Amino acid sequence: MARLIRTEKEVEGEYTEQWVVVEGDDEALDQWPQGPREVVGREAPRLDGHARARGQAIYTADLALPGMLHAAVLRSPHAHARVTKLDLTRALALPGVLGAVGPGECHVLEEEPSFHGAPVAAVAAESFARAREALALVEAEWEELKPLVDPEEAVRRGSLLDEARRYERGDPDAAFGEADVIVEAEYRTQTVLHNAMETHQSVCRWEGDTLEIYISTQYIWGIRDSVSEQLGLPPDRVRVVCNFMGGGFGAKNSPGDYTYIAIALAEKTGRPVRCALTRREENLATGNRNATIQRLRAGARSDGTIVALEGEFVNAVGWKGFSGPTYGPMEMLYACENVRTVTHGAKLNLPPNAAFRAPGFVEGTFGLECVLDELAARLELDPLDLRRRNHADNDLVDGRPFSSKNLLECYRRAEPHWARRDEVRARSEGPVRRGVGLASQIWYGGGGPPSYAWVRVGSDGRATVITAMQDIGTGTRTVMAQITAEELGLPLERVRVELGDSARGPYASISAGSSTTPSMGPAVRAAAADAARQILEIAAQRYHLEERVLSLRDGRVVSADGGSWPLEEVTGLLGDAQILGKGSRGPNPTGMRVLTFGIQVAEVAVDVETGEVRVDRIAAIHDVGRVINPLGARSQVEGGIIQGVGHTLSEERLVDPATGRVLTQTLDAYKVPTIADVPEIVVELLDIPDEHLTNLGSKGLGEPPIVPTAAAIVNAIRDATGADVRLLPLTREEMLRALADAREREKIAAGQA
């Protein structure tokens, strides 16, 4: 039975009230007991692993529709300019070119581009090479305008996306006045780029009055809604398909300019059109993790109690996008009653930002956790003890209790890794200094409604999960199969998952904010439970038993009195008919804060003569509720840490400060980590279900592992060398500068002694 409920939905800290239709009674399902089950909680290789490895998985990049054309986009070579002439005549005259669009024909094309890489015009041809040839024939003239690229200058001028965000609780000024120790520091993080393996792209075609969009996306239904609203189409006349996807990290939540360009050219030519970004375009126009400036102050009593925290944050957003929650860790992580933050979102003539794996919290955790280690040093306290002393038992932002929190247990399990520091330091030799550092993590990850799923069981006793969600490479296809297999008592190989098509499955949530499994998993379990109930009803009638004595186990219908029948013996009665179970995701616990927590301990080696930093080992202990697939979960942690190592040591988008042009457009210039940079990674997940959260008790894991990585590495560097690192990425030059500053402080301290 469908029920209409009014519930509170939270996405990455933003709460909204909304109506949700709930099918079935997912809340009536008790959570499974803690610990591994028959299938859930056991390691499972990805169901689509072989298809991906063999090249059989069809990504958007592999799609080749009959008559498909290829688009090339003219993008602004200037950070701020006005188009004074645009003539597409010569491009259209080139053989094999079938269409072109400019400003006024597609709303994403701009006559006054405001960042390097902004789209101005596009052509469609029978091959991408011919489209690029045609692009070279477009006659364009520009009036170059002076760009604004300095975020601090933008704040002074009032060039902001929105008014500054201000937050305050308690009386920070009075608390700082009573503090025994105060640490002030400025931290800066750089702009980093997503660089997913599969670039942003769409293939669009009209099938009658229906627009079909094949796209690499994290949100099938968001694309459907955005396009239908923009074009004034009924939503059911927009079909969105994404069966396989080559990564996104937050940058593929919206249609992007490429989708609308492909739609406009498909309408003009009457042919399917692919608009796929090149790697250079990927590093210009698809989003980024914006740079930040963080001016922080922390005050504490001599016993280690943090009495006041203050932060001014400048987010260098770019021309569009959002000002992320860099303030989040400072406001949420520790039990400090006096907190003040102000956050500016600087609007610049630079490419717009986009969500990027725990946006804001990665940057804010770097600053906060580093200033806490400086505070611990001033207080002569153990950094782990300092964090324990300031553990928050409830959310201080709005007074809500946590639905679950096991951070203290994470700290306890981190102790053996933290205890290695004397041994690690003792291995220092010659110019190589070794040290150990740690950092805490807080993030969201509770997911939320609405999400829906169907589970279909045929006469052969096999089950199919159907939902129009997307697996963005995290293995959620396998997780949904495990949940279904557990609920139906089936071997995993007898379950398949059909996803990725808005025309062939019910609504599913976005794959962002660490929300896919906690949003979709409960709906899938509810649908499987509905199918199981129907199977047992049929079995009870067939064998003249009461339903209460029957259960599903090991692919059989089992009776409490010892009877047992193969499942297909029961479902075989259906003939060509099928059982269809339906389920939905219920609400989050009312009045509670659903968050994830963790800690990471890093070991580093620093060559004080060359400035080379090597990360040797990272231990990651995280509290993310029930773990469905430990193998996939460890993979998520490893991926987040590797990405965090790159952000800390090598990755940086460089911009010409005079012209605003992006200089790092290729992977030979933009340095992502290689296998040679990967440390030993030790993963420990608590696997304690959140008893208040849905029928699974699972939270998300996509983002927590990247949150504390940079801070843990930098704190380990301080432990090894005494150098305070306050700027990312930590290049050799920056490391040598920090070492020189540390030596200068030592000289001054010795002179004062």
Side-chain angles (χ1 to χ4, degrees), residues 451-475:
S451 285
Y452 302 91
W454 303 329
V455 170
R456 187 177 66 207
V457 181
S459 59
D460 60 356
R462 294 177 178 272
T464 302
V465 182
I466 305 166
T467 184
M469 62 173 281
Q470 53 285 309
D471 184 337
I472 64 173
T474 54

Side-chain angles (χ1 to χ4, degrees), residues 66-80:
M68 186 175 71
L69 303 177
H70 300 262
V73 182
L74 175 66
R75 296 184 178 275
S76 173
H78 307 293
H80 193 195

Side-chain angles (χ1 to χ4, degrees), residues 535-547 550 557:
I535 291 169
L536 295 180
E537 286 176 351
I538 296 170
Q541 296 172 58
R542 170 65 180 83
Y543 301 114
H544 308 291
L545 295 167
E546 294 185 42
E547 289 177 42
L550 298 177
V557 177

